[in-house]
Amino acid sequence: DLPGELLELILCCDVLGAADIGRVSCTCRRLREACQPRGKVWRERFRLRWPSLLKYYSHSDGVSWLEEYKARHNAGLEAQRIVASFSKRFFSEHVPCDGFSDIETLGCPSHFFEDELMCILNMEGRKGLTWKYYAKKILYFLRQQNILKNLKEYLQRPTERQSFLEGAVLIDQYCNPLSDICLKSVQAQVDDITDKVRKVLRTKNPRHPSLASKAGEVLIPEVELQRQVLDAMNCVLYEQLKYKGNELDYYNSLNSYIHQVLIRRTGIPISLSVLYLTIARQLGVKLEPVNFPSHFLLRWCQGKEGSTDIFDYTYIDAFGKGKQLTVKECEYLIGHHVTEEFYGVVTSKEVLQRMVGNLLNLGKRESTDQSYQLLRDSLDLYLAMYPDNVQHLMLQARLYFHLGIWPEKVLDILQHIQALDPSQHGAVGYLVQHTLEHIERRKEELGPEVKHRSDEKHKEVCFSIGLIMKHKRYGYNCVIYGWDPACMMGHEWIRNMNVHSLPHGPHQPFYNVLVEDGSCRYAAQENLEYNSEPREIPHPDIGRYFSEFTGVHYLANTELEIRYPEDLELTRATVQKIYSPGKE
């Protein structure tokens, strides 16, 4: 006797699960109709379980929510299966290029698969570290592949349809694939600034053409009216919102990411210029990008449109609070004379090239990131725009060779270089030879080396896997993920690290440790001590070796435990002895 709306309300209650709804729908015809696949009940069940996915549907769609629920559920199971397999398959090596082939041939919608990966990454607590580690790698790959596809589509458009802002967002997305960055939200923030400029402009000139509803579609021809727009922009950006050039931390990569520029209200000349130019164009003022050496600028035409005379333009320094410069003042800015060609306008592709070039240089400078992720990402972007650039192809091949990853891809790159420029045969031949040797050594590996505590040769090893340690000399915090009964490095490393100056020299146990600064180090036993205040080690590879942080130590994952089968009990006993209540 209950009204249909009340039945729906009861069945949409969040204490019910999908299995409950399935059982309810089997009881009678009326309840079956209340739980119809396209109805409100299954839509609500889908929304409660995966709220972030509703953005992919419009209310007018005749969606079978039951089928969508099943598809998302099955995609989740498939994602979990693949993530679980990665640790076993790739523990001993970097995930190879073809390691993602299973994912590229998925039979489910990619956004379902990505959503499950995000659910894994967002799991609460300190458990599931290995799952999170590989889920992050897979998600990174999937999103970057999609962004590269979007970038190539962007570059194929006619120049007039290539928005500078969209290009900046694509670079930002590729370097930060796990962040929630989209053109729509960035554009909304820019629109908000534009609206603030209109308010200021309205107080100065209530009849200004930029205040019209379709402003931006038509350029303002009068120079004086354009000047009023630029003055209002400078007032809003630099006086009200306090945007400024980041002189104190100029070489921070965040200055190059447009979403960070909007959040932090600071950047470098090119990122601030993209923002400034976009706002000006939305208000009907045509500014053009100028690839000025050492300091990116914009130019504003004061004479006949399209003039080739550099003195017909005023140059704008978005980094310097929108200051308007003459040709001579531009030279003062960088401290030397430049030829006329450097005052010319550049295309959106050339703007992106300079943005990526900045990131490339930052990637080369980064010394703490041993994975060189920024350098790898910026090389990918540069070669997506200029796939036959021999210099950057060689840099990419050398980088992968240095990191010991993707040897098959290194050979492909070297073959491409040789076809483009035969004069590179010396460098190419050297890398080919050593890469082939690397591949052969990998084939000869018999399997994981298992180290037993009970072996006589291991009796001097005092510490175990998963313990949080402190370096006596350098003071850094770290966690042990491997050990050797004596130093296993070559003579050159031992000499460079001055190991012989230690009281026990190289003839003592050495430990592989993950350090809190993101580095991996090889430390002598006499230089390590138990950490009196153990805490999590924020290292990007922590999940490769450990499944959980207990609060005082790490638990080795299955693959690491296979290699050190007797360490787990020793670690627990050590923790109980050192950190049990009542111990100082």
Side-chain angles (χ1 to χ4, degrees):
D1 295 332
L2 292 173
E5 293 85 354
L6 185 55
L7 272 179
E8 278 189 348
L9 189 65
I10 294 168
L11 294 171
C12 287
C13 181
D14 58 8
V15 299
L16 298 176
D20 298 319
I21 302 303
R23 286 190 285 269
V24 164
S25 64
C26 294
T27 54
C28 67
R29 184 180 297 174
R30 181 137 193 261
L31 288 175
R32 187 180 184 85
E33 289 173 356
C35 300
Q36 59 178 299
R38 299 179 188 277
K40 182 179 177 181
V41 173
W42 276 111
R43 183 185 184 281
E44 184 63 11
R45 194 60 36 217
F46 188 93
R47 184 193 70 80
L48 288 170
R49 183 79 184 273
W50 304 294
S52 63
L53 291 176
L54 282 185
K55 63 187 177 187
Y56 293 100
Y57 304 92
S58 65
H59 292 295
S60 59
D61 287 340
V63 178
S64 172
W65 293 104
L66 173 57
E67 293 306 312
E68 293 298 294
Y69 192 100
K70 289 178 182 177
R72 170 61 184 83
H73 176 74
N74 290 333
L77 295 177
E78 182 66 5
Q80 292 173 25
R81 181 191 67 78
I82 291 174
V83 169
S85 75
F86 263 53
S87 179
K88 187 173 183 179
R89 291 161 62 196
F90 306 123
F91 178 83
S92 300
E93 61 172 331
H94 193 89
V95 180
C97 295
D98 58 1
F100 299 101
S101 55
D102 293 356
I103 301 158
E104 294 178 296
T105 56
L106 283 173
C108 63
S110 60
H111 59 279
F112 282 179
F113 191 83
E114 286 191 21
D115 187 66
E116 182 63 28
L117 295 175
M118 285 302 300
C119 289
I120 294 171
L121 283 174
N122 293 330
M123 284 192 302
E124 291 184 9
R126 299 159 168 176
K127 297 184 179 182
L129 300 180
T130 300
W131 274 47
K132 290 177 182 178
Y133 175 78
Y134 287 106
K136 182 177 179 179
K137 281 195 173 299
I138 296 168
L139 190 59
Y140 211 95
F141 169 81
L142 284 174
R143 290 192 172 174
Q144 284 195 327
Q145 290 299 106
N146 193 45
I147 295 159
L148 268 188
K149 186 175 73 174
N150 293 339
L151 175 62
K152 289 172 182 176
E153 183 274 325
Y154 168 90
L155 294 170
Q156 288 170 357
R157 293 183 210 159
T159 307
E160 63 273 10
R161 290 186 52 229
Q162 292 177 347
S163 151
F164 293 101
L165 186 67
E166 183 180 356
V169 168
L170 287 167
I171 290 173
D172 192 348
Q173 289 175 325
Y174 193 82
C175 295
N176 303 283
L178 302 184
S179 300
D180 187 16
I181 305 163
C182 68
L183 179 61
K184 185 177 180 181
S185 65
V186 170
Q187 184 65 62
Q189 293 175 73
V190 174
D191 290 344
D192 185 53
I193 297 172
T194 306
D195 288 341
K196 287 181 169 64
V197 175
R198 285 197 179 98
K199 287 180 182 177
V200 171
L201 200 55
R202 187 173 286 110
T203 63
K204 305 291 184 183
N205 182 356
R207 303 181 66 181
H208 196 284
S210 292
L211 302 176
S213 59
K214 293 187 178 181
E217 294 181 12
V218 180
L219 295 176
I220 301 167
E222 294 86 355
V223 171
E224 182 52 38
L225 291 174
Q226 293 179 18
R227 188 183 305 280
Q228 291 175 11
V229 170
L230 298 181
D231 288 345
M233 282 176 55
N234 291 343
C235 174
V236 170
L237 281 171
Y238 304 112
E239 294 177 26
Q240 292 184 10
L241 300 178
K242 307 297 182 186
Y243 275 80
K244 62 180 180 180
N246 196 345
E247 296 177 347
L248 296 177
D249 195 13
Y250 190 88
Y251 295 104
N252 188 328
S253 60
L254 298 181
N255 294 325
S256 295
Y257 303 140
I258 195 67
H259 87 284
Q260 288 289 349
V261 171
L262 290 164
I263 291 170
R264 300 161 73 236
R265 300 187 181 183
T266 188
I268 53 176
I270 193 167
S271 56
L272 290 169
S273 292
V274 167
L275 175 62
Y276 197 99
L277 175 150
T278 303
I279 296 169
R281 290 195 172 187
Q282 289 185 185
L283 293 166
V285 179
K286 183 181 180 181
L287 300 181
E288 298 172 303
V290 176
N291 215 358
F292 204 65
S294 306
H295 199 107
F296 199 87
L297 297 171
L298 299 170
R299 73 178 193 182
W300 169 34
C301 186
Q302 306 288 288
K304 185 179 179 182
E305 186 177 352
S307 170
T308 56
D309 186 347
I310 64 172
F311 295 98
D312 281 344
Y313 293 88
T314 291
Y315 299 87
I316 296 175
D317 180 12
F319 186 82
K321 298 189 175 182
K323 186 177 180 181
Q324 295 172 11
L325 309 170
T326 64
V327 169
K328 187 58 69 177
E329 287 172 328
C330 290
E331 294 180 353
Y332 289 149
L333 186 66
I334 60 171
H336 60 86
H337 173 72
V338 295
T339 56
E340 288 193 7
E341 63 183 292
F342 290 103
Y343 292 91
V345 67
V346 289
T347 64
S348 53
K349 185 177 180 179
E350 290 169 311
V351 172
L352 296 195
Q353 178 187 352
R354 180 148 172 181
M355 295 184 86
V356 172
N358 289 338
L359 291 170
L360 263 170
N361 291 329
L362 292 176
K364 292 174 187 175
R365 292 166 62 102
E366 286 193 352
S367 56
T368 56
D369 180 12
Q370 295 184 347
S371 70
Y372 291 94
Q373 192 62 57
L374 178 58
L375 182 56
R376 287 158 59 184
D377 289 344
S378 46
L379 275 172
D380 288 344
L381 288 166
Y382 197 98
L383 291 169
M385 294 187 284
Y386 302 98
D388 295 334
N389 185 288
V390 171
Q391 178 188 353
H392 289 86
L393 283 168
M394 183 62 80
L395 177 58
Q396 189 176 59
R398 283 179 170 149
L399 177 61
Y400 292 160
F401 177 77
H402 167 74
L403 294 172
I405 62 174
W406 300 340
E408 290 81 6
K409 185 170 183 178
V410 171
L411 292 177
D412 289 341
I413 296 168
L414 293 172
Q415 186 178 11
H416 186 42
I417 292 171
Q418 187 64 37
L420 291 169
D421 185 1
S423 70
Q424 298 284 336
H425 66 274
V428 167
Y430 174 85
L431 287 173
V432 166
Q433 178 187 342
H434 286 81
T435 301
L436 289 173
E437 289 174 1
H438 172 72
I439 292 172
E440 286 304 312
R441 284 196 304 271
R442 196 176 63 182
K443 289 178 180 177
E444 292 170 3
E445 291 175 359
L446 300 175
E449 180 188 0
V450 179
K451 296 180 179 178
H452 292 278
R453 287 270 169 180
S454 52
D455 284 1
E456 181 65 21
K457 62 182 179 180
H458 297 153
K459 65 179 182 179
E460 300 297 327
V461 179
C462 295
F463 307 131
S464 53
I465 302 297
L467 289 176
I468 310 294
M469 310 298 290
K470 193 178 192 72
H471 198 279
K472 294 178 182 177
R473 183 175 178 185
Y474 299 118
Y476 61 71
N477 299 306
C478 58
V479 58
I480 297 171
Y481 72 95
W483 50 257
D484 296 310
C487 183
M488 302 299 288
M489 297 300 239
H491 295 298
E492 186 178 351
W493 186 91
I494 289 172
R495 185 175 64 252
N496 291 340
M497 300 303 292
N498 204 20
V499 173
H500 286 292
S501 67
L502 295 171
H504 297 94
H507 307 295
Q508 62 174 310
F510 270 69
Y511 297 85
N512 302 101
V513 295
L514 301 176
V515 184
E516 58 191 343
D517 66 1
S519 63
C520 304
R521 304 191 189 183
Y522 197 47
Q525 180 163 281
E526 65 183 81
N527 280 337
L528 294 176
E529 62 183 356
Y530 296 119
N531 196 316
S532 60
E533 297 179 353
R535 56 177 181 267
E536 282 190 88
I537 304 297
H539 193 285
D541 283 344
I542 202 80
R544 181 177 179 181
Y545 304 102
F546 302 103
S547 60
E548 180 183 345
F549 180 62
T550 66
V552 289
H553 71 99
Y554 280 92
L555 293 178
N557 62 22
T558 304
E559 296 304 313
L560 189 62
E561 196 174 344
I562 288 171
R563 289 154 175 81
Y564 299 90
E566 297 167 7
D567 272 44
L568 179 59
E569 288 305 317
L570 181 60
T571 298
R572 285 175 173 162
T574 303
V575 166
Q576 182 67 23
K577 180 180 177 181
I578 298 173
Y579 304 116
S580 59
K583 293 283 183 181
E584 293 190 7

